[in-house]
Amino acid sequence: MASLSLKETEVQLDYQFKILLIGDSGVGKTSIMNRFTENKFNVEIKSTIGVEYSKKTMVIDQAVIQASIWDTAGQERFRSLAKNYYKGAIGALLVFDVTRPHTLENIQKIWLQEVEQHASKNIKMILIGNKSDLTVERIVKQEEAVNFSKTNNLAYMETSALNNQNIDQAFETLVREIYSEINSLPSEIRPKNLTQRKEHTPQVNQNNNLQIDKKNIKKKRACCE
Ligand SMILES: Nc1nc2c(ncn2[C@@H]2O[C@H](COP(=O)(O)OP(=O)(O)OP(=O)(O)O)[C@@H](O)[C@H]2O)c(=O)[nH]1
């Protein structure tokens, strides 16, 4: 799966997708975000208070898309606060920890219900089993997680923020899926096209002759004469 990541200042964005990281406290949401946006991993990371935000720009099928990532606190005391952040979200990674089975149970008991209550029904989601590097401590078998994901109609991926395994792929899969269906989304949730870019490619008219984009040529002459 080939995509390109770009520095924020280099290009004009075509789209901005709001993506949420959701799941119990300690499953690795902040670590996944930090790995994706800064390629960093911090063992001594503090629990998120409220919501943290980061962003990364990607090129998917020639569209420049900024993933704006909202890392919500997993602790119950922050849950009412996090509700506001579901607004406008078009994608979510539902994260559990493969060493703690109750974090997968809570995807169903808590997090899918929170999404259903507060997010658009068109939100795209992927189930993420994080900490796949902890092979000895692992309790949730891959098969179990796959069955869970099928029952809940979700795609499933395993990641390790520590080893940088599947982190880019998880975000790219999600962004790609959103982008591929962007035109069929209802207008109230469809991300705006920020550029309405018109390509300066030659157009073929009814007589099958090539039409040259004259405005573009004029501009080029003016600039270089
Ligand atoms: N071994 C291993 N540890 C991880 C991984 N991802 C995160 N951790 C560790 O798990 C702990 C919790 O990670 P966080 O990223 O703070 O988890 P969180 O889901 O953001 O937690 P809250 O902010 O409380 O909701 C930290 O000690 C991380 O270093 C991983 O892929 N592998």
Side-chain angles (χ1 to χ4, degrees), residues 16-22 33 36 52-54 58 65-72 85 88-93 123-124 170-172 174-176 178:
Q16 194 176 40
F17 292 171
K18 181 174 178 179
I19 291 171
L20 304 178
L21 283 160
I22 300 169
M33 179 176 79
F36 179 59
E52 284 173 15
Y53 170 83
S54 192
M58 312 153 86
I65 300 171
Q66 185 182 76
S68 70
I69 301 155
W70 298 72
D71 167 27
T72 59
Y85 294 93
I90 191 70
L93 296 180
I123 193 168
K124 303 274 174 232
F171 283 98
E172 191 186 328
L174 185 62
V175 167
R176 206 173 264 286
I178 298 165

Side-chain angles (χ1 to χ4, degrees), residues 23-34 41-49 52 71-75 95 97 100 130-134 159-164 167:
D24 279 6
S25 181
V27 296
K29 300 179 298 296
T30 307
S31 303
I32 289 172
M33 179 176 79
N34 290 346
F41 182 84
N42 183 0
V43 184
E44 310 252 307
I45 198 161
K46 287 193 187 125
S47 201
T48 304
I49 296 172
E52 284 173 15
D71 167 27
T72 59
Q75 287 177 30
V95 187
D97 174 348
R100 293 189 294 147
N130 189 42
K131 308 195 187 179
S132 63
D133 57 281
L134 297 176
T159 58
S160 166
L162 174 69
N163 286 351
N164 196 10
I167 300 291

Side-chain angles (χ1 to χ4, degrees), residues 22 79 83 86 94 105-119 125 152:
I22 300 169
R79 213 173 291 154
K83 281 172 188 163
Y86 286 87
L94 295 169
E105 285 158 26
N106 283 344
I107 294 284
Q108 187 142 47
K109 276 197 206 147
I110 299 171
W111 301 110
L112 279 171
Q113 294 185 26
E114 291 276 308
V115 170
E116 199 174 321
Q117 254 185 305
H118 305 293
M125 292 182 284
N152 291 284

